[in-house]
Amino acid sequence: MSAELFFFYVFAALAAGSALAMVSNLRNTVAAALSLVVTMVSLAGIYVLLRAHLVAAVQIMVYAGAVLVLFVFVVMLLNLREDVFPPARLRPFKLAGAALGAVGLAGFLAALAGHVPDMAAVPESFGGYREVGRALFTDYVLAFELVSLLLLAAIVGAVVLAKRRLEP
Amino acid sequence: MITVEHVLALSGLLFAIGALGALTRRNLIVILMCIELMLNAVNLAFVGFARAWGDLGGQVVVLMVIAVAAGSVAVGLGIVIALFRNRDSVNIEDVSLLKW
């Protein structure tokens, strides 16, 4: 087993384990948010293994840095350290739906088998800030500008929502 | 050597965990976190296929998804705060006005 694959398994186990810890944590919302941080950082490690260095850096800065701080901030602000709501109960109807979903997934995987591509040979600079930046500002410049518009709308929306007292 | 199958398996597993949480949990903030987890699972598949085909388009899409997710979290948490002011609760069962 190569070192690359070994680290992939380490990060994958960390990501999946902490994701499960987040979903199954019924007592402490702050701890659930911190589990999500571990998932995000592990995914950033996997991005590095897949030669996406810029995406890994952005993942840590935006997700582990900004988004999760926002989550913890809101949990603290609303004083929700105790998560008192019981999760939904499983009923036979829902179990049947889950079984149907599993059958659909199995069919999808069977159709996919044999059609997945192999890893291509990529240059050393693949996924660095220079190459991604060039792609972002030439081929995908329209999408980039539209995202800036979306972020402006999100800022205005968040300020309006958090500031105004909604009529009941 | 990491193969696309490895990446897709992890991506599917994370997406399933996130979907499970989003469907069964009752705390609005935890549901938002589960949605973020599902977005991350999709990002992982994008990065894996970008590496497999040697095409940077997949990584550019991931950057866009991260920006959209940051916007959705800001607006979603704004809605949670506004709801908490009105109803003193973040339980999803108390916010069923649009449910039929």
Side-chain angles (χ1 to χ4, degrees):
Chain A
M1 189 161 65
S2 67
E4 214 182 14
L5 198 56
F6 171 74
F7 279 110
F8 177 83
Y9 280 129
V10 170
F11 283 130
L14 262 177
S18 54
L20 268 179
M22 179 196 80
V23 171
S24 60
N25 191 332
L26 295 179
R27 276 190 306 223
N28 193 331
T29 313
V30 176
L34 294 182
S35 308
L36 192 56
V37 176
V38 178
T39 309
M40 303 292 184
V41 174
S42 317
L43 281 179
I46 292 177
Y47 292 167
V48 171
L49 293 177
L50 291 171
R51 309 287 295 276
H53 297 100
L54 180 72
V55 175
V58 171
Q59 166 93 0
I60 288 185
M61 278 192 287
V62 176
Y63 265 124
V67 169
L68 266 301
V69 168
L70 208 58
F71 270 116
V72 174
F73 188 74
V74 170
V75 173
M76 297 285 190
L77 190 70
L78 304 185
N79 201 10
L80 293 174
R81 279 187 218 102
E82 297 285 311
D83 186 350
V84 289
F85 324 121
R89 270 193 310 239
L90 283 177
R91 297 206 174 84
F93 200 59
K94 292 180 181 170
L95 281 177
L100 199 64
V103 170
L105 180 67
F108 175 70
L109 288 181
L112 196 67
H115 294 283
V116 251
D118 290 328
M119 291 297 184
V122 290
E124 192 61 34
S125 61
F126 183 78
Y129 67 94
R130 197 184 297 269
E131 284 210 2
V132 178
R134 187 172 287 134
L136 199 58
F137 288 105
T138 53
D139 294 345
Y140 301 96
V141 70
L142 180 66
F144 180 81
E145 297 295 340
L146 286 178
V147 164
S148 68
L149 208 64
L150 179 88
L151 284 180
L152 179 67
I155 292 170
V156 175
V159 169
V160 168
L161 275 173
K163 194 176 150 208
R164 189 164 50 106
R165 185 169 278 277
L166 297 178
E167 295 301 321
Chain B
M1 182 75 186
I2 305 171
T3 63
V4 183
E5 284 89 345
H6 285 104
V7 177
L8 282 183
L10 179 61
S11 170
L13 180 64
L14 287 179
F15 191 89
I17 294 174
L20 179 74
L23 291 177
T24 57
R25 297 298 299 271
R26 286 287 170 267
N27 186 335
L28 260 176
I29 297 179
V30 176
I31 290 176
L32 270 176
M33 287 190 220
C34 289
I35 292 173
E36 292 306 307
L37 183 61
M38 288 157 78
L39 283 171
N40 266 282
V42 175
N43 281 351
L44 180 63
F46 265 119
V47 169
F49 277 114
R51 173 71 183 76
W53 271 303
D55 185 346
L56 278 173
Q59 297 192 8
V60 172
V61 170
V62 170
L63 293 177
M64 305 288 169
V65 171
I66 289 177
V68 171
S72 79
V73 165
V75 174
L77 289 176
I79 292 175
V80 168
I81 289 179
L83 270 176
F84 190 78
R85 275 188 187 157
N86 276 317
R87 314 211 168 195
D88 273 334
S89 162
V90 290
N91 189 342
I92 194 101
E93 301 286 352
D94 296 338
V95 200
S96 55
L97 202 62
L98 290 180
K99 196 171 158 188
W100 56 280

